[in-house]
Amino acid sequence: MALQDAAPWKRPLDLLPRQVLTAQAQGRGVEQPKPNAIGADAALRRLKEGNARDVANKPAHRDFSAGRAERTRAQYPITAVLSCADSRVAPEFAFDQGPGDLFVVRLAGNFANDDGLASLEYAVKFLGVPLVMVLGHSNCGAIGAAIKVVEDNAELPGHLPGLVRSIKPAVEAAKAKSPHDLLAAAITENVALNVKRLETAHPLLASFAQSKEVKIVGGVYDLANGKVGLLS
């Protein structure tokens, strides 16, 4: 059985190279580039173009049933996205991408906890994504809750205090700059801090980032107009 035909969970991890796969062509084994071996700049360009289509309400026509059989054998996402769980934010729609194009990790506040980090490591190491994006959004409720805790000592129920603890550093860093709009500033700061965390996450992501095999970027999705602004 060819490696490409084996079920992903049955393949030995050491037989899953990052940028090439073994395929059968005309009766002999050849090395072919993976479909997502396009480089970070090309991946980011596709996201920008897709977001422009979404903002203009001119999405690409897609047949979502096409490629289902092929997708059962493998996936080749062009970008891994760490996004908020907010129901108003859907990265596939925001960037006008189809099934299998984005590897999305979502949780309220779009911060990198250990489980999310492990998921991103999998996407980079074994799926070969060339680009990782931390995607925040305007009017984020999780960031707003963290602000209330920092400023008003608000008490939250259940497991929410643990979530807010992971967001507080961004709120405190933003507040120290005395911004006109603390919520907007904290949203941006939270994205920036998590980009930095991923860039320095040893042993995997930091290594790929330093070697420039993977680029890690941050962006903020505007709920009002659908535009994604990239952090400089």
Side-chain angles (χ1 to χ4, degrees):
M1 178 180 293
L3 176 62
Q4 179 66 6
D5 295 330
W9 56 88
K10 294 181 180 179
R11 300 179 203 157
L13 294 183
D14 58 353
L15 294 182
L16 287 170
R18 244 189 72 79
Q19 295 297 346
V20 295
L21 60 90
T22 300
Q24 292 297 318
Q26 299 178 347
R28 64 183 185 276
V30 297
E31 286 190 347
Q32 297 180 343
K34 288 184 178 181
N36 61 348
I38 61 175
D41 291 340
L44 186 58
R45 184 165 57 251
R46 280 181 55 175
L47 296 190
K48 289 179 178 179
E49 292 170 350
N51 182 238
R53 291 193 301 271
D54 180 64
V55 170
N57 197 27
K58 295 181 179 179
H61 176 72
R62 300 183 189 281
D63 179 356
F64 288 98
S65 65
R68 282 178 178 166
E70 290 81 1
R71 289 195 296 272
T72 65
R73 292 190 286 271
Q75 58 174 316
Y76 303 105
I78 62 169
T79 304
V81 182
L82 174 58
S83 173
C84 185
D86 193 298
S87 63
R88 300 166 292 180
V89 182
E92 291 86 353
F93 291 155
F95 295 113
D96 190 31
Q97 299 299 307
D101 290 335
L102 302 181
F103 183 94
V104 182
V105 179
R106 300 184 67 171
L107 77 167
N110 49 270
F111 62 88
N113 63 9
D114 286 346
D115 294 329
L117 176 58
S119 296
L120 296 172
E121 288 175 336
Y122 174 79
V124 167
K125 178 68 175 178
F126 298 115
L127 300 183
V129 299
L131 180 69
V132 176
M133 175 179 284
V134 180
L135 183 64
H137 67 93
S138 62
N139 300 98
C140 180
I143 305 293
I147 289 175
K148 290 179 180 179
V149 169
V150 170
E151 292 202 316
D152 305 326
N153 293 315
E155 295 185 5
L156 301 177
H159 292 83
L160 289 173
L163 182 145
V164 165
R165 276 195 297 273
S166 296
I167 302 173
K168 281 177 64 177
V171 173
E172 292 167 343
K175 187 176 180 180
K177 300 174 183 177
S178 301
H180 173 70
D181 185 339
L182 178 56
L183 177 59
I187 288 167
T188 300
E189 192 72 37
N190 185 54
V191 170
L193 287 178
N194 280 282
V195 167
K196 184 176 181 180
R197 185 191 176 191
L198 297 182
E199 288 177 335
T200 57
H202 292 280
L204 291 181
L205 293 190
S207 175
F208 282 108
Q210 290 167 5
S211 66
K212 301 190 184 304
E213 292 179 80
V214 170
K215 180 181 289 186
I216 303 173
V217 300
V220 177
Y221 175 78
D222 191 323
L223 293 177
N225 58 32
K227 293 181 180 179
V228 175
L230 295 177
L231 273 60
S232 57

